Amino acid sequence: MPEIGRIVKVLRGKDEGDFAIIIGIVDDRFVLIADGDKRRFDQPKKKNAMHLLMQPVVSHEVTDSMRETGRVTNAKLRFAIQKYVQGKGE
């Protein structure tokens, strides 16, 4: 189930194979994703949730920042993705 702060792998589109983080939920079908690099927080990508592979990790730094201020820095998004990818060994 999509939730803010969850790390996802893009399965379709030109970003296929990249990791991103859910920063918003539009409705039960679409979410907003950003990676802090190509897709910044202020210009997130609207993506069909069925085109995303939900990873078993939720970034608590991103979740807490979104809850407290309603936004998150691009550096924090990049750091969370980098930490996950290095821990996974890809």
Side-chain angles (χ1 to χ4, degrees):
M1 195 65 201
E3 62 182 296
I4 292 178
R6 181 165 300 279
I7 297 177
V8 296
K9 186 172 186 176
V10 180
L11 298 176
R12 298 280 166 92
K14 67 179 181 182
D15 298 333
E16 185 176 336
D18 293 345
F19 288 95
I21 297 179
I22 296 176
I23 60 168
I25 298 176
V26 178
D27 55 27
D28 60 343
R29 188 170 166 199
F30 290 99
V31 296
L32 299 175
I33 62 170
D35 63 6
D37 186 25
K38 289 182 278 188
R39 277 282 166 201
R40 297 194 160 308
F41 175 81
D42 50 350
Q43 291 188 320
K45 174 77 175 163
K46 182 179 175 185
K47 201 79 173 150
N48 187 332
M50 290 177 27
H51 295 169
L52 301 171
L53 179 62
M54 304 291 164
Q55 302 298 309
V57 174
V58 175
S59 172
H60 296 292
E61 294 103 357
V62 173
T63 306
D64 294 342
S65 180
M66 289 293 289
R67 190 178 314 118
E68 291 168 10
T69 64
R71 60 180 293 116
V72 64
T73 64
N74 290 312
K76 204 173 277 189
L77 291 171
R78 287 191 305 269
F79 175 75
I81 292 170
Q82 181 183 27
K83 189 168 80 170
Y84 173 72
V85 170
Q86 283 179 346
K88 192 174 175 208
E90 280 196 16

